[in-house]
Amino acid sequence: MRLWKLFALSLALGPLALAQTTITIATVNNPDMITMQKLTPEFEKANPGIKVNWVVLPENELRQKVTTDIATNAGSYDILTIGTYEAPIWGKNGWLVEISGLPASYDLEDIIKPVRAGLSYQGKLYALPFYAESSMLYYRKDLFAARNLTVPAQPTWTQAINWARTLHNPSAGVYGICLRGLPGWGENMAFLSTLVNTYGGRWFDENWRPQLTSPEWKRAIGQYVELVTKYGPPGVTGNGFTENLTLMAEGKCAMWIDATVAAGYLANPKTSKVADKIGFAKAPVATTPNGSHWLWSWALAIPKSSKKVEAAKTFITWATSKEYIALVGRTQGWVSAPPGTRYSTYANPEYQRAAAFAKTVLDSINTADPTKPTLKPVPYTGIQFVGIPEFQAIGTQVGQFIAGIVAGRTSLDAGLAQAQAATEKIMKEAGYLK
Amino acid sequence: MTFSLTRKKTYSLRPNTFWLLAPAVLLLILWTQIPFVLTLYHSFRRFNLLNPERQGFVGLENFHSQLTDPIFWTAVQNTLVLVGSVLFVTVVLGLVLAVLFYQDFPGRPLARTLVISPFFVMPVVSALIWKNMLMHPVYGLFAWIAERLGREPIDWLAAYPMPSIVLMVAWQWTPFAMLLILTGLQSLSREQLEAAKIDGANAWQEFRFIIVPHLAQTLSVVVMLETIFLLTIFAEIYASTSGGPGLATTTLPYLIYLKAFGEYRIGVAAAGAVFAVILANIVAIFVLRMIGRNLQGGRA
């Protein structure tokens, strides 16, 4: 017993003996976060009382760690990297510290509006955006020019399908279109939700009844399956964001529709074989432009369980400030500056010069409206996800069923019927449906 | 006779050793049973990590939810198919390899080391090697060979997901089976084989009537140990197919993982875990019975 007390005492006194606050940050191993980690000494120089400790993980592992940590109130981290899906739900649960009392120099009005709204719940802000993204169409200018095809700023799906058919040339190592196929609510379902949206479909009607067997879903998913099986690379069900990014950078795809954050990587000659041949356009639309492109932000938040809220707030204010963006621009080159968070970044002539994609990205983020994701009214917010706690379960299962359709294990109708039944089951258990 | 003798012996030892053993036994019980009791407790509760507002006891709802879920039964079926196929492949291949390595040939120690090495590769690493370096339809070795032969590369993990997983797992576990069987073979007296040869037995008869009966005990131990380990196969599926495409490779352990860490439905996952324990026990009863029979047969 005495030993335990001694142990507890030493734990309690440990931080005091150091006379310095150490904050622990959990984040994703994306290139922009690695840069943030690299620039930490600058922060520590400016704030000598604070030491920063990093936990860097791949996205799926990070999500698991952070979610279990906060839900069980374990308190291992002082700053969490979360997205627009988590921020409002966790804010509502009372798990996050509300962000308020920021210094005037931070200029909260400079944060891009839809991004700020996505990180708030009932008008209260629960996280500050580190970078933000929408989705758009990447295409190979050289291949399109060789066939005398021109891409408008806002293409339609009919055009996209025709281009994929025309440019598909596997014997030359170029596939017509690359799209996500790896199951997961944040993988294939993120893209497929935008596709269903623009075909006029929705996840739920106003009374939370799942709509997965509706004609809109059938048309959208049927079109997707035809595209990836006829004009896509082999092994689609194993390709997520990262795999497609590699395929595109290796020059194996004529087109790719995915996150705008990939633009910096594809346009950088150090990381991409086709850096000078990449064209950018908005994500294609079908029936409605609403919800044809998503809105996501990786943001920094402070859990209620943290005992070092002030130090944590100092750090996230620094990492999302104008000064930080300027620091990255100066030290890493402006093409690598964190995109999508501030109007001032896009007003900066240096950034405009370095990033040819800047305008398309800003337009896409500005026009993505999570409160009106499709033609018909919906009871939820979110474009490439449904903002309810149960969506992780639903999206993951539906993603599996659709991968099953792509792999030819079930028919379109049977696969969607299974997905509908699984979704109904979860919604009943969660109490949305009687 | 021997049975009563050993029993008498332990009886006389018991008063002295009981208190000495007690702390260790108690610790073992706590260590193994607390997680299980917690699992049981959670299996009766509605517990979604992301939705703290809706929690509480729901009786048998989690079990009902699992038993009426077609996904669950697909997973049970997949688990049995996976374990059964891997057992079959590893035992047959292990037996063949063991008989080959029982013979003398130059370079045998080196060859033996090479054959055993897959067993020492970590499951996740082996899954990644198979997925990206061998089976990948664009960059993989199999695709390259197919292209050299002028054929269309096969997308193994999408077209033949379960056979691919069986192949990966069997590749890992064949050396294990081979090692145990080889040990068993080495206890076979060479005189017996020579006597059979003098009596005019050919190689097949030697194998069928001397080697296989001699190995009955070893084979049943191999089957039992492998069954225990194979029922919990997870890493290969996690790293290569993620249980897909569709539900083609979703086994019971992977389904429990999905419920707990993909969907954060701890209650439903716990109910699934309780079923997994029941399934493991059913399989164990059959396997142990089979082994018991063989051991008795071996003694007589």
Side-chain angles (χ1 to χ4, degrees), chain B residues 13 34 53 191 199 208-209 232 237:
Chain B
L13 275 172
I34 285 181
E53 280 165 21
E191 286 87 3
D199 286 342
R208 172 69 189 83
F209 295 105
T232 59
I237 295 169

Side-chain angles (χ1 to χ4, degrees), chain A residues 64 235 390 397 400 425 429-430, chain B residues 54 65 155 242 246 257 265:
Chain A
Q64 276 170 26
E390 290 75 17
Q397 283 196 9
Q400 288 276 22
K425 195 172 157 65
E429 278 174 31
Chain B
R54 281 171 61 83
S65 159
D155 185 3
S242 307
Y257 161 80
R265 294 158 79 198

